[in-house]
PDB file of all heavy atoms in Angstrom:
ATOM      1  N   ARG F 232      -2.913 -14.245   1.527  1.00  0.00           N
ATOM      2  CA  ARG F 232      -4.050 -14.940   2.114  1.00  0.00           C
ATOM      3  C   ARG F 232      -5.310 -14.557   1.397  1.00  0.00           C
ATOM      4  O   ARG F 232      -5.383 -13.451   0.808  1.00  0.00           O
ATOM      5  CB  ARG F 232      -4.235 -14.555   3.604  1.00  0.00           C
ATOM      6  CG  ARG F 232      -3.079 -14.863   4.493  1.00  0.00           C
ATOM      7  CD  ARG F 232      -3.412 -14.674   5.933  1.00  0.00           C
ATOM      8  NE  ARG F 232      -2.213 -14.918   6.803  1.00  0.00           N
ATOM      9  CZ  ARG F 232      -1.452 -13.944   7.287  1.00  0.00           C
ATOM     10  NH1 ARG F 232      -1.727 -12.702   7.074  1.00  0.00           N
ATOM     11  NH2 ARG F 232      -0.430 -14.304   8.015  1.00  0.00           N
ATOM     12  N   LYS F 233      -6.245 -15.499   1.436  1.00  0.00           N
ATOM     13  CA  LYS F 233      -7.589 -15.151   0.971  1.00  0.00           C
ATOM     14  C   LYS F 233      -8.577 -15.960   1.892  1.00  0.00           C
ATOM     15  O   LYS F 233      -8.402 -17.172   2.052  1.00  0.00           O
ATOM     16  CB  LYS F 233      -7.832 -15.582  -0.503  1.00  0.00           C
ATOM     17  CG  LYS F 233      -9.203 -15.170  -1.005  1.00  0.00           C
ATOM     18  CD  LYS F 233      -9.273 -15.288  -2.543  1.00  0.00           C
ATOM     19  CE  LYS F 233     -10.684 -14.811  -2.999  1.00  0.00           C
ATOM     20  NZ  LYS F 233     -10.843 -14.871  -4.469  1.00  0.00           N
ATOM     21  N   PRO F 234      -9.557 -15.336   2.475  1.00  0.00           N
ATOM     22  CA  PRO F 234     -10.389 -15.953   3.430  1.00  0.00           C
ATOM     23  C   PRO F 234     -11.320 -17.004   2.866  1.00  0.00           C
ATOM     24  O   PRO F 234     -11.714 -17.934   3.581  1.00  0.00           O
ATOM     25  CB  PRO F 234     -11.187 -14.790   4.035  1.00  0.00           C
ATOM     26  CG  PRO F 234     -11.088 -13.652   3.095  1.00  0.00           C
ATOM     27  CD  PRO F 234      -9.794 -13.840   2.349  1.00  0.00           C
ATOM     28  N   SER F 235     -11.714 -16.893   1.561  1.00  0.00           N
ATOM     29  CA  SER F 235     -12.609 -17.858   0.983  1.00  0.00           C
ATOM     30  C   SER F 235     -12.283 -17.897  -0.512  1.00  0.00           C
ATOM     31  O   SER F 235     -12.521 -16.938  -1.226  1.00  0.00           O
ATOM     32  CB  SER F 235     -14.049 -17.431   1.220  1.00  0.00           C
ATOM     33  OG  SER F 235     -14.962 -18.227   0.582  1.00  0.00           O
ATOM     34  N   VAL F 236     -11.816 -19.047  -0.972  1.00  0.00           N
ATOM     35  CA  VAL F 236     -11.419 -19.144  -2.358  1.00  0.00           C
ATOM     36  C   VAL F 236     -12.506 -19.687  -3.239  1.00  0.00           C
ATOM     37  O   VAL F 236     -13.465 -20.329  -2.775  1.00  0.00           O
ATOM     38  CB  VAL F 236     -10.142 -20.125  -2.562  1.00  0.00           C
ATOM     39  CG1 VAL F 236      -8.943 -19.490  -1.787  1.00  0.00           C
ATOM     40  CG2 VAL F 236     -10.427 -21.505  -2.099  1.00  0.00           C
ATOM     41  N   HIS F 237     -12.395 -19.322  -4.560  1.00  0.00           N
ATOM     42  CA  HIS F 237     -13.289 -19.793  -5.549  1.00  0.00           C
ATOM     43  C   HIS F 237     -12.550 -20.723  -6.534  1.00  0.00           C
ATOM     44  O   HIS F 237     -11.342 -20.703  -6.627  1.00  0.00           O
ATOM     45  CB  HIS F 237     -13.879 -18.615  -6.370  1.00  0.00           C
ATOM     46  CG  HIS F 237     -14.576 -17.611  -5.511  1.00  0.00           C
ATOM     47  ND1 HIS F 237     -15.763 -17.840  -4.908  1.00  0.00           N
ATOM     48  CD2 HIS F 237     -14.228 -16.367  -5.176  1.00  0.00           C
ATOM     49  CE1 HIS F 237     -16.126 -16.765  -4.188  1.00  0.00           C
ATOM     50  NE2 HIS F 237     -15.204 -15.847  -4.385  1.00  0.00           N
ATOM     51  N   ILE F 238     -13.318 -21.520  -7.251  1.00  0.00           N
ATOM     52  CA  ILE F 238     -12.713 -22.413  -8.282  1.00  0.00           C
ATOM     53  C   ILE F 238     -11.776 -21.545  -9.183  1.00  0.00           C
ATOM     54  O   ILE F 238     -10.750 -22.026  -9.615  1.00  0.00           O
ATOM     55  CB  ILE F 238     -13.806 -23.060  -9.121  1.00  0.00           C
ATOM     56  CG1 ILE F 238     -14.656 -24.012  -8.229  1.00  0.00           C
ATOM     57  CG2 ILE F 238     -13.160 -23.876 -10.242  1.00  0.00           C
ATOM     58  CD1 ILE F 238     -13.930 -25.229  -7.761  1.00  0.00           C
ATOM     59  N   SER F 239     -12.273 -20.354  -9.488  1.00  0.00           N
ATOM     60  CA  SER F 239     -11.492 -19.518 -10.448  1.00  0.00           C
ATOM     61  C   SER F 239     -10.176 -19.002  -9.928  1.00  0.00           C
ATOM     62  O   SER F 239      -9.368 -18.400 -10.604  1.00  0.00           O
ATOM     63  CB  SER F 239     -12.356 -18.255 -10.852  1.00  0.00           C
ATOM     64  OG  SER F 239     -12.698 -17.520  -9.699  1.00  0.00           O
ATOM     65  N   ASP F 240      -9.880 -19.286  -8.638  1.00  0.00           N
ATOM     66  CA  ASP F 240      -8.584 -18.888  -8.033  1.00  0.00           C
ATOM     67  C   ASP F 240      -7.583 -19.881  -8.337  1.00  0.00           C
ATOM     68  O   ASP F 240      -6.359 -19.757  -7.957  1.00  0.00           O
ATOM     69  CB  ASP F 240      -8.746 -18.704  -6.512  1.00  0.00           C
ATOM     70  CG  ASP F 240      -9.582 -17.411  -6.196  1.00  0.00           C
ATOM     71  OD1 ASP F 240      -9.453 -16.434  -6.888  1.00  0.00           O
ATOM     72  OD2 ASP F 240     -10.357 -17.576  -5.197  1.00  0.00           O
ATOM     73  N   THR F 241      -7.912 -21.045  -8.994  1.00  0.00           N
ATOM     74  CA  THR F 241      -6.955 -22.002  -9.361  1.00  0.00           C
ATOM     75  C   THR F 241      -5.934 -21.400 -10.337  1.00  0.00           C
ATOM     76  O   THR F 241      -6.302 -20.865 -11.470  1.00  0.00           O
ATOM     77  CB  THR F 241      -7.616 -23.161 -10.069  1.00  0.00           C
ATOM     78  OG1 THR F 241      -8.420 -23.871  -9.127  1.00  0.00           O
ATOM     79  CG2 THR F 241      -6.592 -24.127 -10.665  1.00  0.00           C
ATOM     80  N   ALA F 242      -4.649 -21.309  -9.953  1.00  0.00           N
ATOM     81  CA  ALA F 242      -3.638 -20.637 -10.708  1.00  0.00           C
ATOM     82  C   ALA F 242      -2.277 -20.843 -10.017  1.00  0.00           C
ATOM     83  O   ALA F 242      -2.207 -21.492  -8.941  1.00  0.00           O
ATOM     84  CB  ALA F 242      -3.920 -19.126 -10.766  1.00  0.00           C
ATOM     85  N   GLU F 243      -1.233 -20.276 -10.695  1.00  0.00           N
ATOM     86  CA  GLU F 243       0.123 -20.275 -10.094  1.00  0.00           C
ATOM     87  C   GLU F 243       0.332 -18.861  -9.480  1.00  0.00           C
ATOM     88  O   GLU F 243       0.038 -17.886 -10.095  1.00  0.00           O
ATOM     89  CB  GLU F 243       1.129 -20.554 -11.181  1.00  0.00           C
ATOM     90  CG  GLU F 243       2.524 -20.786 -10.702  1.00  0.00           C
ATOM     91  CD  GLU F 243       2.753 -22.287 -10.388  1.00  0.00           C
ATOM     92  OE1 GLU F 243       2.001 -23.106 -10.844  1.00  0.00           O
ATOM     93  OE2 GLU F 243       3.721 -22.555  -9.575  1.00  0.00           O
ATOM     94  N   TYR F 244       0.826 -18.814  -8.242  1.00  0.00           N
ATOM     95  CA  TYR F 244       1.064 -17.601  -7.614  1.00  0.00           C
ATOM     96  C   TYR F 244       2.552 -17.355  -7.355  1.00  0.00           C
ATOM     97  O   TYR F 244       3.197 -18.247  -6.866  1.00  0.00           O
ATOM     98  CB  TYR F 244       0.269 -17.558  -6.260  1.00  0.00           C
ATOM     99  CG  TYR F 244      -1.205 -17.537  -6.464  1.00  0.00           C
ATOM    100  CD1 TYR F 244      -1.904 -18.713  -6.752  1.00  0.00           C
ATOM    101  CD2 TYR F 244      -1.896 -16.312  -6.409  1.00  0.00           C
ATOM    102  CE1 TYR F 244      -3.254 -18.699  -7.004  1.00  0.00           C
ATOM    103  CE2 TYR F 244      -3.307 -16.298  -6.632  1.00  0.00           C
ATOM    104  CZ  TYR F 244      -3.928 -17.469  -6.956  1.00  0.00           C
ATOM    105  OH  TYR F 244      -5.284 -17.440  -7.177  1.00  0.00           O
ATOM    106  N   PHE F 245       3.047 -16.155  -7.700  1.00  0.00           N
ATOM    107  CA  PHE F 245       4.434 -15.867  -7.597  1.00  0.00           C
ATOM    108  C   PHE F 245       4.676 -14.711  -6.628  1.00  0.00           C
ATOM    109  O   PHE F 245       4.034 -13.643  -6.790  1.00  0.00           O
ATOM    110  CB  PHE F 245       5.069 -15.516  -8.927  1.00  0.00           C
ATOM    111  CG  PHE F 245       5.105 -16.665  -9.919  1.00  0.00           C
ATOM    112  CD1 PHE F 245       4.040 -16.832 -10.835  1.00  0.00           C
ATOM    113  CD2 PHE F 245       6.139 -17.539  -9.965  1.00  0.00           C
ATOM    114  CE1 PHE F 245       4.058 -17.872 -11.734  1.00  0.00           C
ATOM    115  CE2 PHE F 245       6.236 -18.535 -10.858  1.00  0.00           C
ATOM    116  CZ  PHE F 245       5.167 -18.742 -11.747  1.00  0.00           C
ATOM    117  N   CYS F 246       5.583 -14.881  -5.684  1.00  0.00           N
ATOM    118  CA  CYS F 246       6.060 -13.816  -4.835  1.00  0.00           C
ATOM    119  C   CYS F 246       7.310 -13.243  -5.547  1.00  0.00           C
ATOM    120  O   CYS F 246       8.086 -13.994  -6.140  1.00  0.00           O
ATOM    121  CB  CYS F 246       6.421 -14.396  -3.486  1.00  0.00           C
ATOM    122  SG  CYS F 246       7.005 -13.211  -2.283  1.00  0.00           S
ATOM    123  N   ALA F 247       7.478 -11.917  -5.493  1.00  0.00           N
ATOM    124  CA  ALA F 247       8.676 -11.359  -6.107  1.00  0.00           C
ATOM    125  C   ALA F 247       9.179 -10.141  -5.302  1.00  0.00           C
ATOM    126  O   ALA F 247       8.379  -9.459  -4.635  1.00  0.00           O
ATOM    127  CB  ALA F 247       8.289 -10.877  -7.525  1.00  0.00           C
ATOM    128  N   VAL F 248      10.462  -9.942  -5.398  1.00  0.00           N
ATOM    129  CA  VAL F 248      11.022  -8.811  -4.676  1.00  0.00           C
ATOM    130  C   VAL F 248      12.008  -8.018  -5.574  1.00  0.00           C
ATOM    131  O   VAL F 248      12.563  -8.536  -6.549  1.00  0.00           O
ATOM    132  CB  VAL F 248      11.885  -9.289  -3.418  1.00  0.00           C
ATOM    133  CG1 VAL F 248      10.987  -9.977  -2.491  1.00  0.00           C
ATOM    134  CG2 VAL F 248      13.050 -10.061  -3.805  1.00  0.00           C
ATOM    135  N   SER F 249      12.128  -6.709  -5.253  1.00  0.00           N
ATOM    136  CA  SER F 249      13.083  -5.853  -5.968  1.00  0.00           C
ATOM    137  C   SER F 249      13.729  -4.968  -4.909  1.00  0.00           C
ATOM    138  O   SER F 249      13.065  -4.435  -4.108  1.00  0.00           O
ATOM    139  CB  SER F 249      12.363  -5.014  -7.031  1.00  0.00           C
ATOM    140  OG  SER F 249      13.254  -4.202  -7.703  1.00  0.00           O
ATOM    141  N   ASP F 250      15.041  -4.869  -5.049  1.00  0.00           N
ATOM    142  CA  ASP F 250      15.831  -4.068  -4.076  1.00  0.00           C
ATOM    143  C   ASP F 250      15.449  -2.559  -4.240  1.00  0.00           C
ATOM    144  O   ASP F 250      15.239  -2.103  -5.411  1.00  0.00           O
ATOM    145  CB  ASP F 250      17.331  -4.200  -4.302  1.00  0.00           C
ATOM    146  CG  ASP F 250      17.830  -5.474  -3.758  1.00  0.00           C
ATOM    147  OD1 ASP F 250      17.126  -6.123  -2.979  1.00  0.00           O
ATOM    148  OD2 ASP F 250      19.005  -5.850  -4.083  1.00  0.00           O
ATOM    149  N   GLN F 251      15.367  -1.820  -3.158  1.00  0.00           N
ATOM    150  CA  GLN F 251      15.148  -0.432  -3.208  1.00  0.00           C
ATOM    151  C   GLN F 251      16.496   0.318  -3.394  1.00  0.00           C
ATOM    152  O   GLN F 251      16.560   1.411  -3.981  1.00  0.00           O
ATOM    153  CB  GLN F 251      14.486   0.082  -1.946  1.00  0.00           C
ATOM    154  CG  GLN F 251      13.074  -0.405  -1.747  1.00  0.00           C
ATOM    155  CD  GLN F 251      12.412   0.247  -0.542  1.00  0.00           C
ATOM    156  OE1 GLN F 251      12.725   1.337  -0.142  1.00  0.00           O
ATOM    157  NE2 GLN F 251      11.487  -0.449   0.078  1.00  0.00           N
TER     158      GLN F 251
END
Side-chain angles (χ1 to χ4, degrees):
Chain F
R232 301 188 182 101
K233 185 170 182 177
S235 175
V236 296
H237 302 291
I238 298 289
S239 59
D240 291 322
T241 294
E243 192 86 21
Y244 292 80
F245 293 93
C246 181
V248 301
S249 178
D250 283 349
Q251 292 187 29

